[in-house]
Coordinates of all heavy atoms in Angstrom, one line a residue:
M81 N 66.5 53.9 26.4 CA 65.0 54.0 26.3 C 64.5 52.5 26.2 O 65.0 51.8 25.3 CB 64.6 54.8 25.2 CG 63.1 55.1 25.2 SD 62.6 56.4 24.1 CE 62.3 55.5 22.6
E82 N 63.5 52.1 26.9 CA 63.0 50.8 26.8 C 62.0 50.7 25.6 O 61.2 51.6 25.3 CB 62.2 50.5 28.1 CG 61.8 49.0 28.2 CD 61.4 48.6 29.6 OE1 62.1 49.0 30.5 OE2 60.4 47.9 29.7
T83 N 62.1 49.5 24.9 CA 61.2 49.3 23.8 C 59.8 48.9 24.3 O 59.7 48.1 25.2 CB 61.8 48.1 23.0 OG1 63.1 48.4 22.6 CG2 61.0 47.9 21.7
T84 N 58.8 49.4 23.7 CA 57.4 49.0 24.0 C 57.1 47.7 23.2 O 57.3 47.7 22.0 CB 56.4 50.1 23.6 OG1 56.8 51.3 24.3 CG2 55.0 49.7 24.0
R85 N 56.6 46.7 23.9 CA 56.2 45.5 23.3 C 54.8 45.1 23.5 O 54.3 45.2 24.6 CB 57.1 44.3 23.8 CG 58.6 44.5 23.5 CD 59.3 43.3 24.0 NE 60.8 43.5 23.8 CZ 61.6 43.8 24.8 NH1 61.2 43.8 26.0 NH2 62.9 44.0 24.5
C86 N 54.2 44.7 22.4 CA 52.8 44.3 22.5 C 52.8 42.8 22.3 O 53.7 42.2 21.7 CB 52.0 44.9 21.3 SG 50.5 44.1 20.9
K87 N 51.9 42.1 23.0 CA 51.9 40.6 22.9 C 51.6 40.1 21.4 O 51.9 39.0 21.1 CB 50.9 40.0 23.9 CG 49.5 39.9 23.4 CD 48.7 39.2 24.5 CE 47.4 38.6 24.1 NZ 47.4 37.3 23.6
R88 N 51.1 41.0 20.6 CA 50.9 40.7 19.2 C 52.0 41.1 18.3 O 51.9 41.0 17.1 CB 49.5 41.2 18.7 CG 48.4 40.5 19.5 CD 47.1 40.7 18.8 NE 46.1 40.1 19.7 CZ 44.9 40.5 19.9 NH1 44.5 41.6 19.2 NH2 44.1 39.9 20.7
C89 N 53.1 41.5 18.9 CA 54.3 41.8 18.1 C 54.8 40.4 17.7 O 54.7 39.4 18.4 CB 55.4 42.5 18.9 SG 55.1 44.2 19.2
L90 N 55.4 40.4 16.5 CA 56.2 39.2 16.1 C 57.5 39.2 16.8 O 57.9 40.3 17.4 CB 56.4 39.2 14.6 CG 55.1 39.1 13.8 CD1 55.4 39.4 12.3 CD2 54.5 37.7 13.9
L91 N 58.2 38.1 16.8 CA 59.5 38.0 17.5 C 60.5 39.0 16.9 O 61.2 39.7 17.7 CB 60.0 36.6 17.4 CG 61.2 36.3 18.4 CD1 60.7 36.2 19.8 CD2 61.8 34.9 18.0
R92 N 60.5 39.2 15.6 CA 61.4 40.1 15.0 C 61.2 41.5 15.4 O 62.1 42.3 15.3 CB 61.3 39.9 13.4 CG 60.0 40.4 12.8 CD 60.0 40.0 11.4 NE 58.7 40.4 10.8 CZ 58.2 39.9 9.6 NH1 58.9 39.1 9.0 NH2 57.1 40.3 9.2
E93 N 59.9 41.8 15.8 CA 59.6 43.2 16.3 C 59.9 43.4 17.8 O 60.5 44.4 18.2 CB 58.2 43.5 16.0 CG 57.8 43.5 14.5 CD 56.3 43.2 14.3 OE1 55.6 42.8 15.2 OE2 55.9 43.4 13.1
A94 N 59.5 42.4 18.5 CA 59.6 42.5 20.0 C 61.1 42.2 20.5 O 61.5 42.8 21.4 CB 58.6 41.5 20.7
F95 N 61.7 41.2 19.9 CA 63.0 40.7 20.4 C 63.9 40.5 19.1 O 64.2 39.3 18.8 CB 62.9 39.5 21.2 CG 62.0 39.6 22.4 CD1 60.7 39.2 22.4 CD2 62.5 40.2 23.6 CE1 59.9 39.4 23.5 CE2 61.7 40.4 24.7 CZ 60.4 40.0 24.6
P96 N 64.3 41.5 18.5 CA 65.1 41.4 17.2 C 66.4 40.6 17.4 O 66.8 39.8 16.5 CB 65.4 42.8 16.8 CG 64.9 43.7 17.8 CD 64.1 42.9 18.8
A97 N 67.0 40.6 18.6 CA 68.3 39.9 18.8 C 67.9 38.4 18.8 O 68.7 37.6 18.2 CB 69.0 40.3 20.0
D98 N 66.9 38.0 19.5 CA 66.5 36.6 19.6 C 66.0 36.1 18.2 O 66.3 35.0 17.8 CB 65.3 36.4 20.5 CG 65.7 36.5 22.0 OD1 67.0 36.5 22.2 OD2 64.9 36.7 22.8
Y99 N 65.3 37.0 17.4 CA 64.9 36.6 16.1 C 66.2 36.3 15.2 O 66.2 35.3 14.6 CB 64.1 37.8 15.4 CG 63.8 37.5 14.0 CD1 62.7 36.7 13.7 CD2 64.5 38.1 13.0 CE1 62.4 36.5 12.3 CE2 64.2 37.9 11.7 CZ 63.1 37.1 11.3 OH 62.8 36.9 10.0
Q100 N 67.1 37.2 15.3 CA 68.4 37.0 14.6 C 69.1 35.7 15.0 O 69.5 34.9 14.1 CB 69.4 38.1 14.8 CG 68.9 39.4 14.2 CD 69.3 39.6 12.8 OE1 70.2 38.9 12.3 NE2 68.5 40.4 12.1
K101 N 69.1 35.4 16.3 CA 69.8 34.2 16.8 C 69.1 32.9 16.5 O 69.7 31.9 16.2 CB 70.0 34.4 18.3 CG 70.9 33.4 19.0 CD 71.1 33.8 20.4 CE 72.0 32.7 21.1 NZ 72.2 33.1 22.5
Y102 N 67.8 32.9 16.7 CA 67.0 31.6 16.7 C 66.2 31.4 15.5 O 66.0 30.3 15.1 CB 66.1 31.5 17.9 CG 66.8 31.6 19.2 CD1 66.6 32.7 20.1 CD2 67.7 30.6 19.6 CE1 67.3 32.8 21.3 CE2 68.4 30.7 20.8 CZ 68.2 31.8 21.6 OH 68.9 31.9 22.8
V103 N 65.8 32.4 14.8 CA 64.8 32.2 13.7 C 65.5 32.4 12.3 O 65.3 31.5 11.5 CB 63.6 33.2 13.8 CG1 62.7 33.0 12.7 CG2 62.9 33.0 15.1
L104 N 66.2 33.4 12.2 CA 66.8 33.7 10.8 C 67.6 32.6 10.2 O 67.4 32.2 9.1 CB 67.6 35.0 10.9 CG 67.7 35.8 9.6 CD1 66.4 36.1 9.0 CD2 68.4 37.1 9.9
S105 N 68.5 32.0 11.1 CA 69.3 30.9 10.5 C 68.5 29.7 10.1 O 68.8 29.0 9.2 CB 70.4 30.6 11.5 OG 69.8 30.0 12.7
L106 N 67.4 29.5 10.9 CA 66.5 28.3 10.6 C 65.7 28.6 9.3 O 65.5 27.7 8.5 CB 65.6 28.0 11.7 CG 66.3 27.5 13.0 CD1 65.3 27.4 14.1 CD2 66.9 26.2 12.7
L107 N 65.3 29.9 9.1 CA 64.6 30.2 7.9 C 65.4 30.0 6.7 O 65.0 29.5 5.6 CB 64.1 31.7 7.9 CG 63.0 32.1 8.9 CD1 62.7 33.6 8.9 CD2 61.7 31.3 8.5
Q108 N 66.7 30.3 6.8 CA 67.6 30.2 5.7 C 67.9 28.7 5.3 O 68.4 28.5 4.2 CB 68.9 30.9 6.0 CG 68.7 32.4 6.0 CD 69.8 33.2 6.7 OE1 70.7 32.6 7.3 NE2 69.8 34.5 6.5
K109 N 67.6 27.8 6.2 CA 67.8 26.4 6.0 C 66.6 25.7 5.3 O 66.7 24.5 4.9 CB 68.2 25.7 7.3 CG 69.5 26.1 7.8 CD 69.9 25.4 9.1 CE 71.2 25.9 9.6 NZ 71.4 25.5 11.0
I110 N 65.5 26.4 5.2 CA 64.3 25.7 4.6 C 64.6 25.6 3.1 O 65.0 26.5 2.4 CB 63.1 26.6 4.8 CG1 62.8 26.8 6.3 CG2 61.9 26.0 4.1 CD1 61.7 27.7 6.6
R111 N 64.3 24.4 2.6 CA 64.6 24.1 1.2 C 63.6 24.9 0.3 O 62.4 25.0 0.7 CB 64.3 22.6 0.9 CG 65.3 21.7 1.5 CD 65.1 20.2 1.1 NE 63.7 19.9 1.1 CZ 63.2 19.0 0.3 NH1 64.0 18.4 -0.6 NH2 61.9 18.7 0.3
P112 N 64.0 25.4 -0.8 CA 63.1 26.2 -1.6 C 61.8 25.5 -1.9 O 60.7 26.2 -1.9 CB 63.9 26.5 -2.9 CG 65.4 26.4 -2.4 CD 65.4 25.4 -1.3
A113 N 61.8 24.2 -2.1 CA 60.6 23.5 -2.5 C 59.6 23.5 -1.3 O 58.4 23.3 -1.5 CB 61.0 22.0 -2.9
D114 N 60.1 23.6 -0.1 CA 59.3 23.6 1.1 C 58.8 25.0 1.5 O 58.0 25.1 2.4 CB 60.0 22.9 2.3 CG 60.3 21.5 2.0 OD1 59.6 20.9 1.2 OD2 61.3 21.0 2.6
R115 N 59.4 26.0 1.0 CA 59.2 27.4 1.5 C 57.9 28.0 0.9 O 57.6 27.8 -0.3 CB 60.4 28.2 1.0 CG 60.4 29.6 1.5 CD 61.6 30.4 1.0 NE 62.8 29.8 1.4 CZ 63.5 30.1 2.5 NH1 63.0 31.1 3.2 NH2 64.6 29.6 2.8
A116 N 57.2 28.7 1.7 CA 56.0 29.4 1.2 C 56.5 30.6 0.4 O 57.5 31.2 0.7 CB 55.2 29.9 2.4
E117 N 55.7 31.0 -0.6 CA 56.0 32.2 -1.3 C 56.0 33.4 -0.4 O 55.2 33.4 0.6 CB 55.0 32.4 -2.4 CG 55.2 31.4 -3.6 CD 54.2 31.6 -4.7 OE1 53.7 32.7 -4.8 OE2 54.1 30.7 -5.5
Q118 N 56.7 34.4 -0.7 CA 56.9 35.6 0.2 C 55.5 36.3 0.4 O 55.2 36.6 1.6 CB 57.8 36.6 -0.4 CG 58.2 37.8 0.5 CD 58.9 37.3 1.8 OE1 59.8 36.5 1.7 NE2 58.5 37.9 2.9
T119 N 54.7 36.4 -0.6 CA 53.4 37.0 -0.4 C 52.5 36.2 0.5 O 51.8 36.8 1.4 CB 52.6 37.2 -1.7 OG1 52.6 36.0 -2.4 CG2 53.3 38.3 -2.6
C120 N 52.6 34.9 0.4 CA 51.8 34.0 1.3 C 52.4 34.1 2.8 O 51.6 34.3 3.7 CB 52.0 32.5 0.8 SG 51.2 31.3 1.9
Y121 N 53.7 34.2 2.9 CA 54.3 34.3 4.2 C 53.8 35.6 4.9 O 53.4 35.7 6.0 CB 55.8 34.3 4.0 CG 56.6 34.4 5.3 CD1 56.6 33.3 6.2 CD2 57.5 35.4 5.5 CE1 57.3 33.4 7.4 CE2 58.3 35.5 6.7 CZ 58.2 34.5 7.6 OH 58.9 34.5 8.8
D122 N 53.9 36.7 4.1 CA 53.5 38.0 4.6 C 52.0 38.0 5.0 O 51.7 38.6 6.1 CB 53.8 39.1 3.6 CG 55.3 39.3 3.3 OD1 56.1 38.9 4.1 OD2 55.6 39.9 2.3
R123 N 51.2 37.4 4.2 CA 49.7 37.4 4.6 C 49.5 36.6 5.8 O 48.7 37.0 6.7 CB 48.9 36.8 3.4 CG 48.6 37.7 2.3 CD 47.5 37.2 1.4 NE 47.8 35.9 0.8 CZ 48.4 35.7 -0.4 NH1 48.7 36.7 -1.1 NH2 48.6 34.5 -0.8
R124 N 50.2 35.4 5.9 CA 50.0 34.6 7.1 C 50.4 35.4 8.4 O 49.7 35.4 9.4 CB 50.9 33.4 7.0 CG 50.3 32.4 6.0 CD 51.3 31.2 5.9 NE 50.7 30.1 5.1 CZ 51.4 29.0 4.8 NH1 52.6 28.9 5.2 NH2 50.8 28.1 4.1
L125 N 51.6 36.1 8.3 CA 52.1 36.8 9.5 C 51.2 38.0 9.8 O 51.0 38.4 11.0 CB 53.5 37.2 9.3 CG 54.5 36.1 9.3 CD1 55.9 36.7 9.2 CD2 54.4 35.2 10.5
A126 N 50.6 38.6 8.8 CA 49.6 39.7 9.0 C 48.4 39.2 9.8 O 47.9 39.8 10.7 CB 49.2 40.3 7.7
I127 N 47.9 38.0 9.4 CA 46.8 37.3 10.1 C 47.2 37.0 11.6 O 46.5 37.3 12.5 CB 46.3 36.1 9.4 CG1 45.7 36.5 8.1 CG2 45.3 35.3 10.2 CD1 45.5 35.3 7.1
C128 N 48.4 36.4 11.8 CA 48.9 36.2 13.1 C 49.0 37.4 13.9 O 48.6 37.4 15.1 CB 50.2 35.5 13.1 SG 50.2 33.8 12.4
G129 N 49.4 38.5 13.3 CA 49.5 39.8 14.0 C 48.2 40.4 14.5 O 48.2 41.3 15.4
Q130 N 47.1 39.9 14.0 CA 45.8 40.3 14.5 C 45.1 39.2 15.4 O 44.0 39.4 15.8 CB 44.9 40.5 13.3 CG 45.4 41.6 12.3 CD 45.4 43.0 12.9 OE1 44.4 43.4 13.6 NE2 46.5 43.7 12.8
C131 N 45.8 38.2 15.7 CA 45.2 37.0 16.3 C 45.3 37.0 17.8 O 46.4 37.3 18.3 CB 45.9 35.7 15.7 SG 45.2 34.2 16.5
D132 N 44.3 36.6 18.5 CA 44.3 36.6 20.0 C 45.2 35.5 20.5 O 45.5 35.5 21.7 CB 42.9 36.5 20.5 CG 42.2 35.2 20.1 OD1 42.7 34.5 19.2 OD2 41.0 35.0 20.5
Q133 N 45.6 34.6 19.7 CA 46.5 33.5 20.1 C 48.0 33.9 20.1 O 48.8 33.1 20.6 CB 46.3 32.2 19.2 CG 44.9 31.7 19.4 CD 44.6 31.1 20.7 OE1 45.5 30.4 21.3 NE2 43.4 31.4 21.3
L134 N 48.3 35.0 19.5 CA 49.7 35.3 19.4 C 50.2 36.0 20.7 O 49.6 36.8 21.2 CB 49.9 36.3 18.2 CG 51.4 36.6 17.9 CD1 52.1 35.4 17.3 CD2 51.5 37.8 16.9
N135 N 51.4 35.5 21.1 CA 52.0 36.0 22.3 C 53.5 36.2 22.0 O 54.3 35.2 22.1 CB 51.8 35.1 23.5 CG 52.2 35.7 24.8 OD1 52.9 36.7 24.8 ND2 51.8 35.1 25.9
H136 N 53.9 37.4 21.7 CA 55.3 37.7 21.4 C 56.0 36.7 20.4 O 57.0 36.1 20.7 CB 56.1 37.7 22.7 CG 55.7 38.8 23.7 ND1 55.1 38.5 24.9 CD2 55.7 40.1 23.5 CE1 54.8 39.7 25.5 NE2 55.1 40.7 24.7
G137 N 55.3 36.4 19.3 CA 55.8 35.6 18.3 C 55.5 34.1 18.4 O 55.7 33.4 17.5
T138 N 54.9 33.7 19.6 CA 54.6 32.3 19.8 C 53.1 32.2 19.6 O 52.3 33.0 20.2 CB 55.0 31.9 21.1 OG1 56.4 32.0 21.3 CG2 54.6 30.4 21.4
C139 N 52.7 31.2 18.9 CA 51.2 30.8 18.8 C 50.8 30.0 20.0 O 51.4 28.9 20.2 CB 51.0 30.1 17.5 SG 49.3 29.4 17.4
M140 N 49.9 30.5 20.8 CA 49.5 29.8 22.0 C 48.6 28.6 21.6 O 48.3 27.8 22.4 CB 48.8 30.7 22.9 CG 49.6 31.9 23.4 SD 51.3 31.5 23.9 CE 50.9 30.8 25.5
G141 N 48.2 28.5 20.4 CA 47.4 27.4 19.9 C 48.2 26.1 19.7 O 47.7 25.0 19.8
C142 N 49.5 26.3 19.3 CA 50.3 25.2 19.0 C 51.7 25.3 19.6 O 52.4 24.3 19.5 CB 50.4 25.0 17.4 SG 51.3 26.4 16.6
G143 N 52.1 26.4 20.1 CA 53.4 26.6 20.7 C 54.5 26.9 19.8 O 55.7 26.9 20.2
C144 N 54.2 27.1 18.5 CA 55.2 27.3 17.5 C 55.6 28.8 17.5 O 54.8 29.7 17.9 CB 54.8 26.9 16.1 SG 53.6 27.9 15.4
L145 N 56.8 29.1 16.9 CA 57.1 30.5 16.5 C 56.5 30.7 15.2 O 56.8 30.0 14.2 CB 58.6 30.6 16.5 CG 59.4 30.5 17.8 CD1 60.9 30.5 17.6 CD2 59.0 31.7 18.7
V146 N 55.6 31.6 15.1 CA 54.8 31.7 13.8 C 55.7 32.2 12.7 O 55.4 31.8 11.5 CB 53.6 32.7 14.0 CG1 52.6 32.2 15.0 CG2 54.1 34.1 14.4
E147 N 56.8 32.9 12.9 CA 57.6 33.3 11.8 C 58.3 32.1 11.2 O 58.8 32.2 10.0 CB 58.7 34.3 12.3 CG 58.0 35.7 12.5 CD 58.6 36.5 13.6 OE1 58.6 36.0 14.8 OE2 59.1 37.6 13.4
L148 N 58.4 31.0 11.9 CA 59.0 29.8 11.3 C 57.8 28.9 10.7 O 57.9 28.5 9.5 CB 59.6 28.9 12.4 CG 61.1 29.2 12.7 CD1 61.6 28.2 13.8 CD2 61.9 29.0 11.4
R149 N 56.8 28.7 11.4 CA 55.7 27.9 10.9 C 55.1 28.5 9.6 O 54.9 27.7 8.6 CB 54.6 27.8 11.9 CG 53.5 26.9 11.6 CD 52.4 27.0 12.6 NE 51.4 25.9 12.5 CZ 51.5 24.7 13.1 NH1 52.4 24.5 14.0 NH2 50.6 23.8 12.9
A150 N 55.0 29.7 9.5 CA 54.4 30.4 8.3 C 55.3 30.2 7.1 O 54.8 30.4 6.0 CB 54.1 31.8 8.6
A151 N 56.5 30.0 7.3 CA 57.5 29.9 6.2 C 57.4 28.6 5.5 O 58.0 28.5 4.4 CB 58.9 30.1 6.7
Y152 N 56.8 27.6 6.1 CA 56.6 26.3 5.4 C 55.3 26.2 4.6 O 54.3 26.4 5.1 CB 56.7 25.1 6.4 CG 58.1 24.9 6.9 CD1 58.5 25.6 8.0 CD2 58.9 24.0 6.3 CE1 59.8 25.3 8.5 CE2 60.2 23.7 6.8 CZ 60.6 24.4 7.9 OH 61.9 24.2 8.4
R153 N 55.5 26.0 3.3 CA 54.4 26.0 2.4 C 53.2 25.1 2.9 O 52.0 25.6 2.8 CB 54.9 25.5 1.0 CG 53.9 25.6 -0.1 CD 54.6 25.4 -1.4 NE 55.3 24.1 -1.5 CZ 54.7 22.9 -1.9 NH1 53.5 22.9 -2.1 NH2 55.4 21.8 -1.9
K154 N 53.5 24.0 3.4 CA 52.4 23.0 3.7 C 51.8 23.2 5.1 O 50.9 22.5 5.5 CB 52.8 21.6 3.5 CG 53.0 21.3 2.0 CD 53.4 19.8 1.8 CE 53.4 19.5 0.4 NZ 53.9 18.1 0.1
E155 N 52.4 24.1 5.9 CA 52.0 24.2 7.3 C 50.6 24.9 7.3 O 50.2 25.6 6.4 CB 53.0 25.0 8.1 CG 54.1 24.2 8.6 CD 53.8 23.2 9.6 OE1 52.7 23.1 10.1 OE2 54.8 22.4 9.9
K156 N 49.9 24.7 8.4 CA 48.5 25.3 8.5 C 48.4 25.9 9.9 O 49.1 25.5 10.8 CB 47.4 24.2 8.3 CG 47.4 23.6 7.0 CD 46.2 22.8 6.7 CE 46.2 22.1 5.4 NZ 46.4 22.9 4.3
C157 N 47.5 26.8 10.0 CA 47.2 27.4 11.3 C 46.4 26.4 12.1 O 45.5 25.8 11.6 CB 46.4 28.7 11.1 SG 45.5 29.3 12.5
P158 N 46.7 26.2 13.4 CA 45.9 25.2 14.2 C 44.4 25.6 14.3 O 43.6 24.7 14.6 CB 46.6 25.3 15.6 CG 47.3 26.5 15.7 CD 47.7 26.9 14.2
F159 N 44.1 26.8 14.1 CA 42.7 27.2 14.1 C 42.1 27.6 12.7 O 41.1 28.2 12.6 CB 42.5 28.4 15.1 CG 42.7 28.1 16.5 CD1 44.0 28.3 17.1 CD2 41.7 27.5 17.3 CE1 44.2 28.0 18.4 CE2 41.9 27.2 18.6 CZ 43.2 27.4 19.2
R160 N 42.9 27.2 11.7 CA 42.5 27.4 10.3 C 42.2 28.9 10.0 O 41.2 29.2 9.3 CB 41.3 26.5 10.0 CG 41.6 25.0 10.1 CD 40.5 24.1 9.6 NE 40.9 22.8 9.6 CZ 41.5 22.2 8.6 NH1 41.8 22.9 7.5 NH2 41.8 20.9 8.6
R161 N 43.0 29.7 10.5 CA 42.8 31.1 10.3 C 43.6 31.7 9.1 O 43.3 32.8 8.6 CB 43.1 31.9 11.5 CG 42.1 31.7 12.6 CD 42.4 32.4 13.9 NE 41.4 32.0 14.9 CZ 41.5 32.3 16.2 NH1 42.6 32.9 16.7 NH2 40.6 31.9 17.0
W162 N 44.5 30.9 8.6 CA 45.2 31.3 7.4 C 44.3 30.9 6.2 O 43.4 30.0 6.3 CB 46.5 30.5 7.2 CG 47.5 30.9 8.2 CD1 47.5 32.0 9.1 CD2 48.7 30.2 8.6 NE1 48.6 32.0 9.9 CE2 49.4 30.9 9.6 CE3 49.3 29.0 8.1 CZ2 50.6 30.5 10.1 CZ3 50.5 28.6 8.7 CH2 51.2 29.4 9.7
E163 N 44.6 31.5 5.0 CA 43.7 31.2 3.9 C 43.7 29.8 3.4 O 42.8 29.3 2.8 CB 44.0 32.2 2.8 CG 45.4 32.2 2.3 CD 45.9 33.4 1.5 OE1 45.4 34.5 1.8 OE2 46.7 33.2 0.6
N164 N 44.8 29.1 3.7 CA 44.9 27.7 3.2 C 44.5 26.7 4.4 O 44.7 25.5 4.3 CB 46.3 27.3 2.7 CG 47.3 27.3 3.8 OD1 47.2 28.0 4.8 ND2 48.3 26.5 3.7
G165 N 44.0 27.3 5.4 CA 43.6 26.4 6.5 C 44.5 26.7 7.8 O 45.3 27.5 7.8
Ligands
SF4_92 S1 49.0 30.3 13.6 FE1 46.8 30.8 13.7 S2 46.1 30.6 15.8 FE2 48.4 30.8 15.8 S3 48.8 33.0 16.0 FE3 48.7 32.6 13.8 S4 46.6 32.9 13.2 FE4 46.6 32.8 15.4

């Protein structure tokens, strides 16, 4: 059965194998001092999940994988849609 994908799916939802291969190992390498708190991370991704710029886990505003960008404490949304900008 084929998986239904929405362009506002995160990579982990739309392409879990790619998420495992490309994102998870990078997330694990982020230094704790640089990492966003889990609640902040979850809020950012929830905002991305409602955003017209999201395309299968990639932000069309900056070209990043949002699941990576959102994990860094000091990163910001290119359109200032996250609560910290
Ligand atoms: S980082 Fe900002 S512009 Fe990009 S998908 Fe998330 S909320 Fe939208």
Side-chain angles (χ1 to χ4, degrees):
M81 190 167 93
E82 189 166 319
T83 306
T84 302
R85 297 182 183 109
C86 161
K87 83 180 203 90
R88 294 198 184 143
C89 285
L90 295 170
L91 196 67
R92 66 188 178 198
E93 298 157 345
F95 300 99
D98 287 345
Y99 175 80
Q100 291 278 337
K101 185 174 179 182
Y102 300 114
V103 178
L104 204 51
S105 63
L106 293 174
L107 286 176
Q108 291 165 346
K109 290 178 182 167
I110 299 173
R111 294 184 318 148
D114 296 333
R115 183 184 300 269
E117 289 183 16
Q118 187 66 42
T119 53
C120 174
Y121 184 64
D122 293 341
R123 279 197 303 268
R124 288 173 171 180
L125 292 184
I127 292 168
C128 292
Q130 301 294 313
C131 179
D132 59 356
Q133 295 294 317
L134 188 67
N135 189 348
H136 297 113
T138 299
C139 172
M140 302 312 286
C142 65
C144 72
L145 291 171
V146 295
E147 286 146 300
L148 273 179
R149 186 184 191 92
Y152 285 88
R153 188 168 55 85
K154 291 186 176 174
E155 284 289 354
K156 297 188 183 308
C157 162
F159 291 96
R160 299 185 172 274
R161 292 178 180 167
W162 293 344
E163 56 198 35
N164 70 330

